[in-house]
Amino acid sequence: MIQAKQALLAALADSLQAIAPGSNAAAAFESPKQAAHGDFACTAAMQLAKPLKANPRELATRLIAALEAQPAVQQWVQSLEIAGPGFINIRLKPAAKQAVVAEVMAAGTHFGERPATGKHVMVEFVSANPTGPLHVGHARQAALGDALCSLFKTQGHQVTREFYYNDAGVQIATLANSTQMRLKGFKPGDAAWPEAAYNGDYIQDIADAFVAKQTVKADDREFTASGDVDDLDSIRQFAVAYLRHEQDLDLQAFGLKFDSYFLESSVYAGGQLEKTVERLVASGKTYEEGGALWLRTTDYGDDKDRVMRKKEGGYTYFVPDVAYHINKFERGYTQCINIQGTDHHGTIARVRAGLQAVNLGIPQGFPDYVLHKMVTVMKNGEEVKISKRAGSYVTLRDLVDWTSRDAVRFFLISRKADTEFTFDVDLALKQNDENPVFYVQYAHARICSVIRKWAADMGGDVGSIAAADLGLLTAPTEEALMLKLAAYPDMLTSAAAGLAPHDVAFYARDLAGAYHSYYAAERVLGQAPELSRARIALLAATRQVLANALGLLGVSAPEQMSREAQDQPETE
């Protein structure tokens, strides 16, 4: 069906030029609001009506005549009908829908992928300062960012996963001081314990490792402790390396690895910050007032101008962000996406204003942002707020340990980023259809079970699936399942363009639902050999697309699973 759709789109483009030479009407299909209206809908006649000063239904009649002369339409289309003010409803021949089964099996893990574009995309996410374990907000970012990167890869783009963090700011100084206090025998609750100190048990773990003069290695740094409790710089560097190593372990448990790490301190040490300020001043978009240096961000849509350099000295936090994003652009990334909490919303306008003001040709709207809302964790019917490990919040590792990597990834990607989400630990542990990740994974495992039984009955002749007569797939539930398979490539393109990886989770649930409905309605085993073979081919294609979608989300596709209730027999 994918090839049929491409051929029909080309036929539509040719037909539009035939009836309206030079027109810019889009050669595109839409999905009818009701399945009974057909497989595709075309609104081109209504788009052309006004510029051509013609009746849309009359244009639709002419367009249908032009389409019917196209070989692709003759090959793949069953009927063309005018509806309403000028819609054209298109019904495909069964062979067009059945072709998707062979297309999926031929493409395998690459089904739905687009050719290489040469476009370089960076997604920056998690970006947690090394001051403690990764919390559930970081977990949501990890799920969103990794899935978005995988989506961009399906569209043929080169993708870099980047982790940005500060290794020398106020929070890092607090980390070093907290560790030093533990080294000197103080603990939370003592009279001398600083109010701003970090209280989690992990601080004592750092102190113990420091005294032992351990060497810790993270993905981007390595450091050996001096063991000297008065050596605050050594304590700081060791604590940062220790917690970066811990973050790496958390990310490994999540199944995530970054391609690059960027330190905020490098913006200062490399002179990028001062160069950025010089560029902004030279642009004429800054002014002095009240002893402070201001940027005219209102020239770029901000609600008020913003201070760059405070009157007491030092730059406000958005200035190094501007320098960092100039660095991204100069590294050759044509699209950058930042995944952050909604509390960062206020920085978007001023960062983009700074990037426009430097006059480097950075596109408007650079970078893109995906902002996510809070995650609430429920366990045993109650909200969980405290983690002993972190001292004040639930960690990413807590979620993985309490449930599984698959559950955490699927759950946290199963809602739009800008909606608040409740992670129900009890639901994530259920082995029934109430649990959405189980529901999708079980569809995959169930298909594997049926194919194993069929192969055993056929003497292991799985290879003969490729020779199946797909023309036998005519049942309504088969048609619905094939149409859902055919929707996968366009869903990927739309999800990538909309920065909407949750669409993949929605699709996976819908595809699993279409399969379960089909399984309930039609027998696969015990039929005439050719019919069984054709239906096994459909199941094999469905299994492949389920595995592709789950893999894109970083979720496994198991071949065997059990349910809380009695499994249905494989023999049907």
Side-chain angles (χ1 to χ4, degrees), residues 8 21 50 175 263 270 285 433 435-436 479:
L8 291 174
K50 187 173 181 180
L175 170 67
L263 300 182
K285 295 295 183 178
D433 291 349
N435 179 346
E479 179 176 306

Side-chain angles (χ1 to χ4, degrees), residues 48-228:
L48 288 171
K50 187 173 181 180
L52 294 181
K53 298 179 181 180
N55 181 287
R57 286 185 65 91
E58 185 273 330
L59 281 175
T61 301
R62 290 169 55 194
L63 181 55
I64 285 177
L67 284 167
E68 287 176 336
Q70 294 282 340
V73 173
Q74 296 168 6
Q75 180 180 2
W76 299 115
V77 174
Q78 183 168 293
S79 67
L80 296 162
E81 301 169 354
I82 300 174
F87 291 100
I88 298 177
N89 289 331
I90 303 169
R91 298 180 192 278
L92 299 176
K93 293 179 179 178
K97 303 170 190 177
Q98 294 155 354
V100 72
V101 175
E103 291 168 347
V104 172
M105 290 194 292
T109 58
H110 299 292
F111 179 71
E113 295 180 1
R114 308 286 180 179
T117 63
K119 180 177 179 179
H120 293 257
V121 180
M122 174 190 285
V123 183
E124 182 221 321
F125 58 110
V126 179
S127 294
N129 287 339
T131 55
L134 300 177
H135 54 61
V136 292
H138 297 133
R140 193 170 195 184
Q141 285 192 30
L144 288 166
D146 200 35
L148 191 56
C149 288
S150 296
L151 261 177
F152 279 125
K153 283 190 173 182
T154 69
Q155 300 309 294
H157 307 327
Q158 297 181 41
V159 183
T160 297
R161 294 164 169 83
E162 182 150 290
F163 189 119
Y164 172 89
Y165 71 93
N166 187 4
D167 63 337
V170 173
Q171 292 180 343
I172 302 300
T174 301
L175 170 67
N177 290 329
S178 302
T179 305
Q180 188 177 53
M181 290 294 287
R182 289 277 194 164
L183 284 164
K184 293 182 176 181
F186 298 100
K187 61 182 183 300
D190 291 347
W193 188 258
E195 183 177 347
Y198 296 121
N199 299 325
D201 288 353
Y202 67 93
I203 298 295
Q204 185 63 57
D205 295 338
I206 299 171
D208 293 342
F210 182 83
V211 169
K213 299 182 181 181
Q214 290 184 7
T215 297
V216 288
K217 183 177 182 180
D219 282 350
D220 68 312
R221 61 173 59 225
E222 181 177 347
F223 191 79
T224 300
S226 70
D228 182 355

